[in-house]
Amino acid sequence: MDTAIDKQYKILNYLNQNLINFDLETIYDQLFEYSRSNGKSHVNGVLRTALQRSFQRINNEFEPEVLLALNFPIFLENITPNAKTLMIIAKDSIPHIDDIYITNYKKNSLKNEIGFITPFGIIDDWIRPTFLERENIGFFNFLNSEYNLYITDIIKIGFKLPKRENWTNSNYIATDCNFDITEINKDFCKIVSKEIEIIKPDAIITIGNEARNTLLKINEKNFKKNQKVLYWKDSLQMYQWNSNIPIVASPHISSSGEDEKFKILNNPKNKDLFAVYNNEKLAKIILNEVSEILF
């Protein structure tokens, strides 16, 4: 059976061949060092020409003023041997412009480069976190207390567009470019499918509508399994990947999912779950749901 390290190497090798051609182990090492340095170290950018396959079109079509970043997956191991694995799939928002490139010491050259970020700023300061970071850290800490976590972004490539001397966030290429992205979307779908194949999660957790909807579309395309997307009520939603891996769908943990999230948090059956932050309580609700499915 593959260890977490074995799976990470397989993921890196696949991303190297199908997303960006670079020594990704070095990038992961730099991300790890950055997480321990309170922002004093840096992570190298990579020339956009290193993008692979259809993603080269992004480099060819987008102007240099568009800043690009890869949202890299993270594997968090549980301390318990043989712990089960949850795969967390989200469409993460892009951080502030000063945080996209944690190589900021040479910003000017980054117009021709692509930088690196991690889902939900998970490598940021866990010792002196901001309020939002405390919300996110609590969410992942609770899930990681019982399971291995593989956290990935459904889209992978984030970018910011210049607009009247400010920046507008985006990481959904379809609405912000002027060229046919059919082939690019196919390659995105292949990457997510390969991640699931390599990680072999015991359950998949989607965070937010777009991650859920996109994953169900990929599932239908791959396995001819059409699952109707449900409206949010006061419970998590249940689907399946290829009829054998449970999918637990949750509202987004950011402010964009507040209305749907509060319906679930305020469900009377969850009233006895105590947590300091809302996202911690949501994580406890997910843990209860997963426990019922897997045991």
Side-chain angles (χ1 to χ4, degrees):
M1 180 180 293
D2 287 341
T3 65
I5 293 177
D6 293 332
K7 291 178 179 179
Q8 179 169 305
Y9 280 131
K10 287 183 178 180
I11 293 287
L12 289 180
N13 186 56
Y14 187 81
L15 293 178
N16 182 253
Q17 296 179 35
N18 294 276
L19 182 58
I20 190 163
N21 182 20
F22 193 73
D23 177 11
L24 300 183
E25 288 183 45
T26 295
I27 296 298
Y28 266 103
D29 289 343
Q30 291 175 348
L31 287 167
F32 178 70
E33 183 59 33
Y34 175 85
S35 72
R36 303 176 64 185
S37 69
N38 295 319
K40 295 178 182 177
S41 66
H42 67 269
V43 180
N44 289 337
V46 177
L47 290 176
R48 297 185 189 189
T49 51
L51 286 167
Q52 295 281 70
R53 300 172 65 86
S54 67
F55 302 114
Q56 264 296 330
R57 191 175 305 171
I58 297 172
N59 175 59
N60 296 337
E61 297 288 343
F62 277 158
E63 297 297 326
E65 287 73 21
V66 176
L67 300 184
L68 298 176
L70 291 185
N71 201 328
F72 258 35
I74 296 292
F75 198 108
L76 301 179
E77 284 192 89
N78 181 276
I79 61 173
T80 306
N82 302 317
K84 294 182 182 296
T85 298
L86 302 181
M87 183 172 181
I88 314 294
I89 302 179
K91 180 195 157 189
D92 196 5
S93 58
I94 298 300
H96 189 274
I97 189 65
D98 290 332
D99 298 327
I100 279 192
Y101 297 102
I102 46 190
T103 67
N104 280 338
Y105 70 102
K106 55 173 188 173
K107 263 188 181 178
N108 289 337
S109 67
L110 293 175
K111 289 184 178 181
N112 297 312
E113 294 183 0
I114 186 163
F116 298 91
I117 55 178
T118 57
F120 298 97
I122 211 164
I123 63 168
D124 288 341
D125 194 344
W126 286 42
I127 299 174
R128 295 176 298 275
T130 64
F131 175 80
L132 180 58
E133 287 169 344
R134 286 196 294 269
E135 280 274 4
N136 292 345
I137 289 169
F139 179 82
F140 293 110
N141 266 341
F142 268 105
L143 296 179
N144 192 213
S145 68
E146 295 191 25
Y147 296 94
N148 298 317
L149 299 184
Y150 178 80
I151 309 166
T152 193
D153 196 285
I154 195 75
I155 298 296
K156 303 289 183 279
I157 298 180
F159 59 93
K160 283 180 178 281
L161 302 171
K163 185 177 181 181
R164 294 182 182 179
E165 299 181 358
N166 292 314
W167 293 90
T168 178
N169 291 351
S170 180
N171 60 347
Y172 188 52
I173 293 174
T175 60
D176 292 294
C177 66
N178 299 316
F179 55 92
D180 182 4
I181 62 156
T182 302
E183 187 179 354
I184 293 175
N185 278 342
K186 286 181 180 178
D187 282 342
F188 276 138
C189 294
K190 289 177 183 177
I191 290 175
V192 174
S193 298
K194 190 66 176 182
E195 286 178 292
I196 296 174
E197 177 187 326
I198 292 173
I199 296 300
K200 296 180 174 60
D202 295 280
I204 297 171
I205 313 298
T206 61
I207 300 177
N209 293 343
E210 293 189 64
R212 173 199 61 190
N213 296 352
T214 303
L215 188 66
L216 293 181
K217 288 178 182 177
I218 297 172
N219 190 59
E220 180 178 2
K221 182 178 183 299
N222 287 355
F223 310 110
K224 314 304 179 186
K225 183 178 179 63
N226 183 8
Q227 299 173 87
K228 182 179 179 181
V229 175
L230 305 173
Y231 291 103
W232 289 111
K233 294 184 179 178
D234 60 357
S235 300
L236 301 170
Q237 298 175 355
M238 308 301 299
Y239 305 93
Q240 282 193 323
W241 174 265
N242 190 23
S243 301
N244 60 11
I245 301 177
I247 299 173
V248 179
S250 166
H252 208 285
I253 63 176
S254 72
S255 58
S256 62
E258 291 294 347
D259 291 343
E260 296 89 351
K261 183 166 67 176
F262 280 120
K263 290 178 185 177
I264 297 173
L265 295 177
N266 294 325
N267 185 329
K269 74 175 185 178
N270 300 322
K271 64 182 177 63
D272 294 330
L273 290 177
F274 172 77
V276 177
Y277 299 102
N278 287 325
N279 284 341
E280 290 180 352
K281 184 172 181 178
L282 183 62
K284 288 187 174 183
I285 294 169
I286 292 172
L287 284 178
N288 286 347
E289 195 72 53
V290 171
S291 294
E292 291 181 12
I293 295 170
L294 298 183
F295 296 98

